[in-house]
Amino acid sequence: MQTNFTAAQLADPQVAESEKILRRCVHCGFCTATCPTYVTLGNELDSPRGRIYLIKDMLENGRPADEQVVTHIDRCLSCLACVTTCPSGVDYMHLVDHARIHIEKTYRRPLADRLIRGLLAKTLPYPGRMRAALTLARFGRPLSPFLKRIQALRPLAAMLDLAPSSPARSSMAGLGIPQASGERRGRVAILSGCAQPVLDPGINDAALRLLARFGVEVVTPEGEVCCGAIVHHMGKEDQALDFARRNVDVWIRELETGGLDAIIITASGCGTTIKDYGHMLRLDPAYRDKAAKVSSLAKDITEYLAGLDLPRLDAKGVTVAYHSACSMQHGQKIVAAPKNLLKTAGFTVRDPAEGHLCCGSAGTYNILQPEISGQLKARKVKNIEATKADVIATGNIGCMTQIATGTAMPILHTVELLDWAYGGPRPQKYKQKAAS
Amino acid sequence: MSEAIQFLPPRDSVMSRRAAIVTDLAELLPPECLVHEARELVPFETDAFVSYRRLPLAVALPKTTAQVAAVLKYCHRYGVPVVPRGAGTSLSGGAIPQEDAVVLCLSKMARILELDYANRTATVQAGVTNLSISEAVGTDGFFYAPDPSSQLACTIGGNIGMNSGGAHCLKYGVTTNNLLGVKMVLVDGAVIELGGKHLDASGYDLLGLICGSEGQLGIVTEATVRLIAKPEGARPVLFGFEASEAAGACVADIIASGIIPVAIEFMDKPAIEICEAFAHAGYPLDVAALLIVEVEGSEAEMDAMLQSIVEIARRHQVKTVRECQSATEAALIWKGRKSAFGATGRIADYICMDGTVPLSKLSYVLNKTAEIVESFGLRVANVFHAGDGNMHPLILFNANDPADAAKAEAAGNEILKLCVDAGGCLTGEHGVGIEKRDLMRHQYSEVDLHQQMAVRAAFDEGWIMNPSKVFPLDGRA
Amino acid sequence: MLTPHTEADAAYVIRTAATDGKTLGLCGGNTRAGFGNVTETAETVSSRALSGIVDYDPAEMVVTARSGTPLAEIEAALAANRQMLAFEPMDHRGIMGTGGEPTIGGVFAANVSGPRRFVSGAARDSLLGIRFINGKGEVIRAGGRVMKNVTGLDLVKLLAGSHGTLGFLTEVTFRVLPVPQTAETIVISGLDDAGAAKAMAAALALPVEVSGAAHLPQTVRHRFLSGSLPDGEATVLRLEGLAASVSVRSEKLAAVMQAFGPIARLDADESRTLWQEIRDVHPYADNSQKPLWRVSVAPSAGHQLVAALRLEAGVDAFYDWQGGLIWMRMEADPEAELLRRFIRALGGGHATLVRASATVRTQCPAFEPQPDAVAQLSARVKQKLDPGGIFSPGKMG
């Protein structure tokens, strides 16, 4: 597509990169069809092609962001289904990242929006604050119906609705990391995460047990922080890059001292961001190479397990609806590995219809855009329930939280099912649901 | 932006009342169904024929036939041009607006209304995408046959507007052969129904006239289309040739032998490379031309047909023959082919031609096309429906270089004239739109065009509907 | 009757008539004389002297012929190359008691299609291009000679089926298809009309490419294949294609159909005769003037329509196109209003009075009356092609 940038504009490396991305778009419109917001709202402005055009217009004219542009960019889930669909290879992810940074720098949001975004940015990435917030939320939940009546406060209501009703506890609390058994097959770091250990510590517990069982030594290096995805998607670039640099330091140190075969991530949302560290820090000469190294080591747990050649088990008589998180299938292009692992472990796997569509979780989207998110959740749940499976498996905590609020079907992380199949305990959530 | 093709000058009577028109439209539509802020109009300024752009006055996104009727009635009363739009995937600029126009975009009307298997019909709103019909009926053993390459995104309303074809219409026909009925709004807001679940028209075949009328006769809001039982199996086979001529002659011989495959697609070397890079479908990279021939039916039938086709291909010195082994492989082969235009965007900007020529002229037109494009110092990739002679040369250029863009347009015009001179036509399935409008006199006489325009006037006397398209601006009645 | 020998002559005749305000009836071989509303015209122009195949390259599967070329001549030329008209045009002479020679122009002007229509399309779907003379005497070219063509408005479709009321066809270009290597027909016996509708719908949902689906009730069964069809009502399903494929599909189809009733098979020759008789409405080629209707409705509605009518009128009927095409002979009164009311009640469609006595024809509109908005639109379209209204005014309503 034709672009109109001056040489001066193109001197800014971010603008130069966006220009390259825009040049690839041929405006064919294929992306509209797989975009969750377009299929929900039916408006070009809420499609990837429409947003690309809005961004192009804003950047070409060197304009600050305005209410209209912000409205439509905010509605983007960053699910990246469009990137999977695009035949021309338009790197929408980095284009919309740029737009979000531009918005954050040039647009003053209404007060309520600023407050809620500030609250999220200051809570979610920090496990301690997150735990405290969840405790508060349990007391605040009765307020939710009142908050919903006021448009500006709907995000707060959404947040309260999403908070689990009882605190989650690690089954291995105080036991430490299990020792690798048998022949040693690798040494990896695992991302502890920020929101996930608070919401569902069982996921990493299962991953640790499973890896240990197959001879993989797992370390959790000191000093690791949130991957930065949450603030990155809000356009809070400085905070995101700060998180990224701290993690790069931690993992490079571990790599140089003990050696690392991989950095294992059990939340695909985080994985997509960590795999992008190399790009995020490309303009920082001190970190560029280290960040690229970290990105190359980053592996989703299923990606890593696929390389271990786990033994084939007998059929279990358990049917699993596999929900592929957007960050998994579109962000990281991991499509077959999780399903193959489940099948090898004896599960029957079903693909829900419209698997390419987002469940509406999308980081903080279900809090900031509760209406669209709710419609997407309902659509997703309907498709999943139509599979008549016994249990839902997925690889991202955000989807788990989101989908769980819409269905009575148990929902587990893929690695929890795998751990169970290969000798671990039957997952708590499956037991509860199965019994009830 | 290119300027060679003119749009109608905006009507003063409309431009002077812009604000009032927006206010009036706001009375007719819910707030989420009207776009009028300057910033938000920009993404509607073009479709997939991105060389030309015009901002509209407003965009209406109706949710019901009644809203479409209300908007049309209003625009008719005040002489406001209306540009219909589905998904905006037109390659001929059919949905490009003009400054005094209201874009009537049916993207919010995207519900499947009824699937009737006893009568093998689907009734859908016009904004439903082509592919979603086949997806909705696929598990029950049916499909909707016309399959334009943009079927993932393009809408049935748009397909009717352009009488869209696709790779598989060699056997099943194009939109007009698969359309049974429509509900449509005439320019004065009257809602009529043509056809239905029964066959043939009771009077004049207005349905046949509507199909392919490029949004000039009214706006279709619902359509009833024919469903077909899915064949037991389908198998695409790749045939690689060392020369385009051999591939072209092979196509003609296959058809002449009395075998009608469901699809015969042609790609030349540049196209093969582009598509392979995107889809990793396993296209042979060491050949000059590739045919994708698909047969369908029972295993026995496919084997029998393929045997004959392979024999014919051998007579034309086929270099590689690869039968597809699995459904996944077949899907990849088609994904590569159907993404060809978009995937070309990875290496350059392009404009896509759509002329159709008699089969016996394929090789001649291919060679001439190469000569023409070369004479302008540009490159071309060819990927098209060979079985029905529908060519799609993609002329590659640099959109940021105005001289290059002008050369591409000029080369395109020459290629289309070549198609007409070879006994073919300007457009097989993309429509005339704005792109080929000024070439219409190359195909039709003044009297022919006047007759078409007269019939058009039976629907829209005041040239409200998509008025800058299809018919040359000069010499209009 | 005027029989111009060239297109230019024809244009002159029409131009003169337009100037003089003289009405013209247009025809080919006039084998459908008496079709449509009764009209009086000052003169009749026939295309029969505009004869001959202009261009036929079997490898292209496209034929161009002058409009007055006898259908028989076209079919013979095609047969010599093992090709055919996919839409199986019927011969109206039997039911209408007319003589003359059907022409290719007449076939397209009346959009005449036979049993394969519901899968392969109507005559209009095979028609690629035309030359015609409008009501001003201008020669107009529309469409072309390639299968895919969306260049401008599709006047080809408009002229197809306009029964000589919009223009005088002088040349037609149409697509042809290879003749299937073989054919076979499966007969399911003993189904009532409703049961047959179910069986045919089931057959069409199978991936076996049924290319003919008709139901011949007890009253007409003996009129086909010289009475040699098995006892009981006959529901007939045709398969065509490569021999190897037909036998496989036939097994599959029979396996499903035997749940509906006893199965018999007809070979290629019997099959050809049977479908030709269905095409030409053999049972009602009865040298009578009894009102004969051709009704097109949704396939599932066909038998309901007939059942409803039987309660109130003397009706004999059989079905083609999976039940969606009903040939219906009335014992006495055409019962047009009743019939058309039921059609509307059953979801829509249309009934055309193909044959009736002269008196009946003057009282009963032959074509389905249209809603006002559509009728007005049709009238405007006619006015744009024939501004003076000289071509058979009133013939189509």
Side-chain angles (χ1 to χ4, degrees):
Chain A
M1 186 160 68
Q2 190 186 0
T3 54
N4 280 302
F5 288 95
T6 63
Q9 284 175 308
L10 293 174
D12 176 340
Q14 260 184 333
V15 174
E17 190 197 19
S18 289
E19 196 264 351
K20 272 214 186 73
I21 297 170
L22 290 166
R23 285 285 285 132
R24 274 215 167 182
C25 176
V26 297
H27 216 249
C28 68
F30 281 28
C31 56
T32 59
T34 55
C35 172
T37 54
Y38 183 77
V39 300
T40 305
L41 302 171
N43 184 341
E44 173 102 19
L45 296 166
D46 296 309
S47 77
R49 187 172 69 170
R51 285 186 276 254
I52 287 169
Y53 226 84
L54 288 170
I55 295 168
K56 172 176 181 284
D57 189 47
M58 175 172 76
L59 295 179
E60 281 180 343
N61 292 297
R63 272 200 317 259
D66 53 50
E67 194 192 331
Q68 282 92 31
V69 173
V70 171
T71 299
H72 301 295
I73 302 292
D74 278 357
R75 284 185 190 155
C76 170
L77 297 133
S78 276
C79 71
L80 308 181
C82 52
V83 176
T84 300
T85 303
C86 179
S88 317
V90 174
D91 182 2
Y92 176 82
M93 177 170 99
H94 290 127
L95 184 68
V96 81
D97 283 349
H98 181 196
R100 292 209 166 98
I101 293 166
H102 187 80
I103 289 170
E104 191 64 15
K105 280 185 187 153
T106 62
Y107 180 70
R108 191 170 162 82
R109 291 175 180 276
L111 180 66
D113 199 11
R114 282 208 305 280
L115 289 177
I116 192 84
R117 282 167 183 269
L119 180 66
L120 290 172
K122 288 191 177 71
T123 314
L124 291 185
Y126 306 96
R129 298 179 199 169
M130 175 79 177
R131 211 164 274 125
L134 284 183
T135 309
L136 275 176
R138 273 191 287 280
F139 291 112
R141 195 192 300 272
L143 293 175
S144 158
F146 301 102
L147 297 173
K148 272 185 194 143
R149 291 191 197 148
I150 305 160
Q151 182 70 38
L153 297 181
R154 277 188 196 165
L156 278 177
M159 208 156 42
L160 293 176
D161 289 348
L162 280 167
S165 49
S166 59
R169 216 168 272 126
S170 167
S171 59
M172 305 200 302
L175 296 178
I177 297 173
Q179 290 294 307
S181 61
E183 183 202 353
R184 213 183 96 138
R185 300 172 73 180
R187 183 178 194 271
V188 301
I190 191 164
L191 174 76
S192 300
C194 44
Q196 180 173 302
V198 179
L199 290 166
D200 194 346
I203 297 172
N204 268 13
D205 291 351
L208 292 173
R209 281 192 302 266
L210 186 63
L211 289 167
R213 210 171 296 133
F214 287 99
V216 179
E217 183 191 339
V218 188
V219 293
T220 50
E222 281 288 308
E224 174 211 293
V225 291
C226 167
C227 69
I230 301 270
V231 286
H232 181 59
H233 289 146
M234 288 189 202
K236 297 180 185 296
E237 191 190 19
D238 294 344
Q239 200 182 346
L241 294 185
D242 179 50
F243 281 137
R245 287 193 188 93
R246 284 160 69 181
N247 282 333
V248 167
D249 284 340
V250 168
W251 283 321
I252 291 294
R253 192 179 64 226
E254 188 62 40
L255 173 69
E256 286 169 354
T257 51
L260 281 180
D261 298 317
I263 299 163
I264 301 292
I265 299 137
T266 53
S268 57
C270 309
T272 305
T273 300
I274 295 169
K275 286 182 175 180
D276 197 40
Y277 276 0
H279 184 272
M280 287 162 69
L281 291 165
R282 73 195 182 286
L283 301 175
D284 180 344
Y287 272 87
R288 191 175 50 209
D289 298 341
K290 286 190 283 183
K293 180 68 195 170
V294 164
S295 289
S296 72
L297 284 171
K299 293 272 180 299
D300 184 75
I301 177 78
T302 55
E303 211 178 356
Y304 186 76
L305 290 173
L308 293 185
D309 210 11
L310 302 188
R312 182 167 294 279
L313 303 181
D314 291 339
K316 283 199 170 32
V318 176
T319 307
V320 179
Y322 176 71
H323 161 73
S324 189
C326 298
S327 42
M328 189 74 82
Q329 59 174 332
H330 305 305
Q332 300 185 51
K333 306 275 180 264
I334 299 170
V335 178
K339 290 192 279 185
N340 289 342
L341 286 166
L342 287 167
K343 285 178 201 161
T344 306
F347 295 99
T348 306
V349 180
R350 291 202 183 129
D351 291 312
E354 300 188 318
H356 62 280
L357 283 185
C358 180
C359 66
S361 166
T364 56
Y365 194 90
N366 46 8
I367 295 167
L368 296 170
Q369 299 281 345
E371 283 89 1
I372 301 170
S373 168
Q375 287 181 48
L376 289 171
K377 178 169 73 181
R379 190 166 179 158
K380 180 57 69 183
V381 165
K382 194 170 149 224
N383 281 323
I384 290 177
E385 289 182 344
T387 63
K388 300 202 163 45
D390 303 311
V391 56
I392 309 163
T394 189
N396 192 42
I397 182 68
C399 310
M400 292 171 69
T401 316
Q402 169 85 346
I403 295 169
T405 59
T407 180
M409 279 173 80
I411 180 159
L412 295 171
H413 192 288
T414 309
V415 82
E416 293 180 281
L417 283 170
L418 294 175
D419 174 48
W420 174 38
Y422 289 105
R426 188 187 177 104
Q428 202 67 28
K429 279 168 289 180
Y430 192 27
K431 249 189 271 182
Q432 284 166 1
K433 298 265 184 175
S436 62
Chain B
M1 183 165 60
S2 301
E3 293 293 346
I5 306 170
Q6 299 297 304
F7 284 68
L8 285 170
R11 302 176 181 203
D12 291 337
S13 58
V14 174
M15 298 311 280
S16 60
R17 291 188 63 245
R18 286 183 65 113
I21 291 168
V22 168
T23 312
D24 292 346
L25 289 173
E27 297 276 307
L28 303 174
L29 296 164
E32 73 276 16
C33 295
L34 181 65
V35 177
H36 59 86
E37 298 281 353
R39 299 263 189 282
E40 295 188 319
L41 293 174
V42 180
F44 292 93
E45 70 177 4
T46 189
D47 53 23
F49 184 56
V50 77
S51 314
Y52 286 83
R53 305 188 281 277
R54 288 288 184 283
L55 277 177
L57 191 159
V59 178
L61 299 159
K63 289 178 176 169
T64 63
T65 299
Q67 288 172 356
V68 174
V71 172
L72 269 182
K73 190 175 174 187
Y74 175 84
C75 291
H76 180 242
R77 183 171 167 199
Y78 292 100
V80 183
V82 172
V83 175
R85 182 180 176 104
T89 57
S90 172
L91 287 161
S92 62
I96 300 178
Q98 52 191 50
E99 291 93 328
D100 55 353
V102 171
V103 169
L104 236 169
C105 181
L106 272 74
S107 53
K108 282 186 192 279
M109 292 183 69
R111 273 187 311 128
I112 292 178
L113 300 172
E114 191 200 3
L115 301 175
D116 177 350
Y117 294 136
N119 292 311
R120 287 170 294 110
T121 62
T123 301
V124 302
Q125 289 186 318
V128 163
T129 60
N130 172 296
L131 185 62
S132 62
I133 299 179
S134 288
E135 282 181 341
V137 301
T139 48
D140 296 310
F142 293 92
F143 74 112
Y144 173 61
D147 62 336
S149 294
S150 58
Q151 69 179 143
L152 173 69
C154 63
T155 65
I156 285 298
N159 288 180
I160 294 170
M162 295 307 191
N163 190 16
S164 305
H168 290 78
C169 50
L170 183 56
K171 176 168 177 185
Y172 295 109
V174 294
T175 303
T176 191
N177 312 116
N178 290 278
L179 178 68
L180 298 173
V182 295
K183 178 185 273 188
M184 69 178 292
V185 185
L186 300 177
V187 68
D188 61 358
V191 179
I192 63 167
E193 288 186 37
L194 300 172
K197 291 181 184 174
H198 58 278
L199 295 173
D200 294 341
S202 50
Y204 296 141
D205 188 0
L206 299 179
L207 185 64
L209 186 65
I210 295 301
C211 199
S213 64
E214 309 204 15
Q216 299 225 325
L217 305 186
I219 294 193
V220 170
T221 59
E222 289 176 17
T224 299
V225 298
R226 182 169 79 127
L227 301 176
I228 298 174
K230 258 203 286 196
E232 234 169 277
R235 217 187 290 162
V237 184
L238 303 177
F239 293 93
F241 294 86
E242 301 226 28
S244 302
E245 288 82 356
C250 181
V251 171
D253 271 9
I254 292 172
I255 300 289
S257 74
I259 304 167
I260 312 275
V262 272
I264 307 180
E265 297 289 298
F266 176 102
M267 289 189 202
D268 67 4
K269 196 171 177 63
I272 298 167
E273 284 165 3
I274 290 164
C275 296
E276 180 62 19
F278 168 65
H280 308 293
Y283 301 141
L285 293 167
D286 58 346
V287 296
L290 177 69
L291 294 179
I292 306 172
V293 180
E294 182 162 272
V295 293
E296 61 178 28
S298 60
E299 287 297 321
E301 189 166 17
M302 291 195 289
D303 286 342
M305 277 199 269
L306 280 176
Q307 200 187 339
S308 313
I309 294 170
V310 170
E311 274 168 29
I312 295 168
R314 297 231 184 277
R315 291 210 294 274
H316 293 279
Q317 285 79 45
V318 65
K319 188 176 173 196
T320 49
V321 178
R322 194 164 72 82
E323 274 192 47
C324 148
Q325 304 298 331
S326 68
T328 322
E329 211 180 320
L332 273 179
I333 285 174
W334 282 114
K335 184 183 176 193
R337 164 59 190 90
K338 293 199 170 182
S339 304
F341 299 170
T344 304
R346 290 167 179 260
I347 59 165
D349 299 290
Y350 65 84
I351 45 174
C352 173
M353 301 295 107
D354 179 42
T356 302
V357 299
L359 286 185
S360 57
K361 298 288 173 56
L362 269 183
S363 296
Y364 164 76
V365 173
L366 269 175
N367 286 332
K368 278 300 232 188
T369 297
E371 278 174 31
I372 290 170
V373 176
E374 207 170 304
S375 74
F376 283 93
L378 297 172
R379 286 181 301 157
V380 64
N382 279 289
V383 46
F384 61 91
H385 315 303
D388 42 33
N390 188 193
M391 322 259 305
H392 292 312
L394 298 162
I395 305 172
L396 312 183
F397 70 105
N398 173 4
N400 277 1
D401 174 354
D404 221 32
K407 277 193 278 184
E409 267 187 57
N413 288 349
E414 285 203 23
I415 292 170
L416 291 180
K417 286 179 182 170
L418 167 72
C419 291
V420 174
D421 296 342
C425 66
L426 292 172
T427 172
E429 56 185 2
H430 297 171
V432 177
I434 193 109
E435 179 209 8
K436 297 174 270 281
R437 183 194 68 202
D438 295 339
L439 296 171
M440 284 289 270
R441 285 201 178 89
H442 199 78
Q443 182 168 339
Y444 291 113
S445 74
E446 211 61 38
V447 181
D448 298 340
L449 283 176
H450 270 107
Q451 183 64 76
Q452 290 186 29
M453 285 191 278
V455 171
R456 186 198 184 287
F459 291 78
D460 175 26
E461 193 88 55
W463 287 90
I464 299 295
M465 300 300 302
N466 216 2
S468 288
K469 316 289 165 64
V470 185
F471 297 105
L473 298 185
D474 58 318
R476 285 184 175 185
Chain C
M1 182 175 296
L2 302 172
T3 54
H5 281 72
T6 65
E7 185 182 76
D9 286 352
Y12 175 78
V13 166
I14 291 169
R15 208 160 41 237
T16 312
T19 313
D20 302 347
K22 205 166 73 174
T23 55
L24 297 174
L26 307 179
C27 72
N30 216 13
T31 61
R32 267 175 296 279
F35 194 104
N37 299 333
V38 177
T39 55
E40 287 297 324
T41 53
E43 188 63 85
T44 299
V45 188
S46 166
S47 63
R48 71 183 55 153
L50 295 169
S51 185
I53 293 172
V54 177
D55 186 35
Y56 172 32
D57 177 359
E60 296 270 356
M61 298 196 300
V62 173
V63 180
T64 298
R66 292 193 186 86
S67 59
T69 312
L71 181 60
E73 185 182 329
I74 303 271
E75 287 185 325
L78 294 177
N81 289 283
R82 294 203 53 75
Q83 294 188 335
M84 63 173 190
L85 296 169
F87 53 91
E88 293 180 274
M90 76 173 283
D91 185 341
H92 278 84
R93 286 175 294 188
I95 52 169
M96 305 200 69
T98 51
E101 187 68 40
T103 63
I104 192 68
V107 162
F108 287 111
N111 192 26
V112 180
S113 318
R116 219 184 274 108
R117 189 271 174 261
F118 79 127
V119 288
S120 299
R124 57 88 108 167
D125 294 292
S126 287
L127 189 60
L128 304 176
I130 51 175
R131 293 175 69 91
F132 70 96
I133 300 163
N134 67 14
K136 293 195 275 186
E138 295 168 332
V139 177
I140 309 289
R141 198 170 52 97
R145 46 170 292 119
V146 287
M147 287 167 219
K148 275 161 114 181
N149 184 352
V150 58
T151 321
L153 285 184
D154 196 349
L155 300 185
V156 177
K157 297 280 185 301
L158 191 58
L159 267 286
S162 65
H163 295 274
T165 62
L166 299 180
F168 181 66
L169 291 177
T170 58
E171 188 182 284
V172 288
T173 300
F174 49 94
R175 186 191 188 197
V176 298
L177 280 183
V179 175
Q181 201 179 63
T182 189
E184 185 180 309
T185 296
I186 283 185
V187 187
I188 309 145
S189 300
L191 294 177
D192 61 15
D193 292 5
K198 281 204 188 75
M200 289 189 285
L204 265 296
L206 295 173
V208 296
E209 297 192 50
V210 171
S211 72
H215 177 62
L216 317 172
Q218 198 59 288
T219 51
V220 296
R221 186 205 31 110
H222 64 283
R223 297 275 295 144
F224 292 98
L225 289 182
S226 315
S228 69
L229 281 170
D231 284 344
E233 299 85 347
T235 307
V236 290
L237 300 167
R238 177 173 63 181
L239 300 172
E240 297 173 297
L242 299 172
S245 155
V246 168
S247 62
V248 174
R249 284 186 278 142
S250 162
E251 289 308 316
K252 281 186 186 143
L253 180 60
V256 177
M257 287 301 117
Q258 65 191 9
F260 289 89
I263 301 281
R265 284 192 169 86
L266 306 179
D267 65 19
D269 288 337
E270 291 168 315
S271 196
R272 187 179 316 111
T273 311
L274 172 70
W275 289 100
Q276 203 164 325
E277 289 172 350
I278 292 173
R279 183 192 79 181
D280 293 341
V281 199
H282 206 57
Y284 306 139
D286 50 7
N287 292 316
S288 85
Q289 290 288 303
K290 286 184 187 171
L292 179 61
W293 289 98
R294 180 183 183 271
V295 180
S296 177
V297 290
S300 64
H303 69 94
Q304 299 174 47
L305 176 71
V306 172
L309 275 167
R310 281 208 176 112
L311 297 176
E312 305 194 27
V315 180
D316 190 31
F318 76 93
Y319 308 83
D320 196 357
W321 300 355
Q322 194 199 322
L325 176 70
I326 311 157
W327 287 100
M328 193 184 279
R329 188 181 62 186
M330 302 305 206
E331 277 316 306
D333 193 272
E335 303 285 2
E337 280 178 29
L338 190 65
L339 170 60
R340 285 172 169 153
R341 194 169 74 235
F342 282 138
I343 290 174
R344 282 194 298 276
L346 285 166
H350 51 89
T352 309
L353 185 62
V354 177
R355 175 186 78 190
S357 68
T359 346
V360 170
R361 287 182 58 231
T362 53
Q363 294 156 0
C364 177
F367 293 92
E368 186 76 28
Q370 295 174 319
D372 287 349
V374 180
Q376 286 159 15
L377 195 54
S378 297
R380 288 202 298 274
V381 167
K382 157 107 173 147
Q383 201 271 333
K384 297 295 181 183
L385 281 139
D386 175 20
I390 61 167
F391 295 143
S392 301
K395 184 176 182 182
M396 286 188 78

